[in-house]
Structure formats: C-alpha cells, structure tokens
Amino acid sequence: MSESPNLTGRGRVASVLRFATELIAWVVTPWALAGHSIVLAVLSVVVLIGLPTVFATPGDKKQVLVAVPGWCTVALVVLQLVAAVIGSWVAWPVWLAVLVSVLAVLTVLAELPRWRWLWRAGV
C-alpha cells in the first residue's frame, strides 16, 4: 500500500492542525474534569496521549508499536477532536471555545485525505 499523506509534504498542514488540537485536548480535558474527579483528569491525559502513542496504522507513522487498522487511527483522532471541543466548552470562555471548535473543523477538513487513506489501510 502507498505511503500515508501524513508522511509526505501533502500532510504537513493537517499534521500541524492535528497537533495543535491534540495539545488543546491534553490541556483542556483534565482541566474540565478536575472539578469532578482528579482520577478522571489524570486518566484522560493517559488515554489521550497514551493510546495514539501505542496504537498506529503501519504506513501512517514511522514507528508503530502496536499495529491497528486505519479506522482505529481515525477513531483516535476523532477522540482527540471531540475532547478538545467538549473540554473547551466546559472549561473555557465562549470565545475561546468557538476558536477551538473552528480549529477542529479545519483539522477535519485538512485530515480528509489522510482519513481516506487510513480507511483503505489494513493491518
């Protein structure tokens, strides 16, 4: 199978947008959960950082610890996007949540070529 757009110059903008959204998710999700449960706040960081680090689709990353089908990688990205958007609406001012939501939409649009490739990718 061909190489993922993630590993080519075509995927650079999508990678930058995705990473920015991931960073926001890593910050805002525990922030939003901390008032309810410190354990859930810590667990959210472990899940949001740990799962994509361990599980990846071959051909989409240079190093893959545990190979998963492409749809699983798409689901992990969607998890990050949803966490960033929902967390920002819970924890941050409306204007900032709107900016995060716009970033998430732009990320989805930029990610579409990669997601199409991932959807066809097997393990």
Side-chain angles (χ1 to χ4, degrees):
M1 182 166 260
S2 65
E3 191 173 64
S4 165
N6 194 43
L7 296 177
T8 68
R10 296 178 318 175
R12 187 139 351 264
V13 170
S15 293
V16 168
L17 293 173
R18 185 176 62 251
F19 184 66
T21 308
E22 288 172 348
L23 282 175
I24 291 168
W26 300 344
V27 170
V28 77
T29 304
W31 189 338
L33 291 171
H36 302 288
S37 169
I38 296 299
V39 173
L40 282 178
V42 172
L43 185 60
S44 73
V45 174
V46 171
V47 167
L48 291 172
I49 294 174
L51 290 181
T53 301
V54 173
F55 300 101
T57 304
D60 189 51
K61 278 187 171 179
K62 292 183 181 185
Q63 293 185 19
V64 174
L65 298 177
V66 177
V68 295
W71 65 263
C72 187
T73 298
V74 172
L76 290 172
V77 174
V78 170
L79 174 67
Q80 301 271 351
L81 293 168
V82 169
V85 170
I86 291 175
S88 67
W89 282 99
V90 169
W92 290 346
V94 171
W95 67 269
L96 195 49
V98 168
L99 289 178
V100 172
S101 299
V102 169
L103 175 63
V105 169
L106 292 175
T107 301
V108 168
L109 294 174
E111 281 280 283
L112 288 175
R114 176 178 177 236
W115 288 2
R116 281 191 281 276
W117 182 90
L118 284 165
W119 207 256
R120 292 189 303 269
V123 176

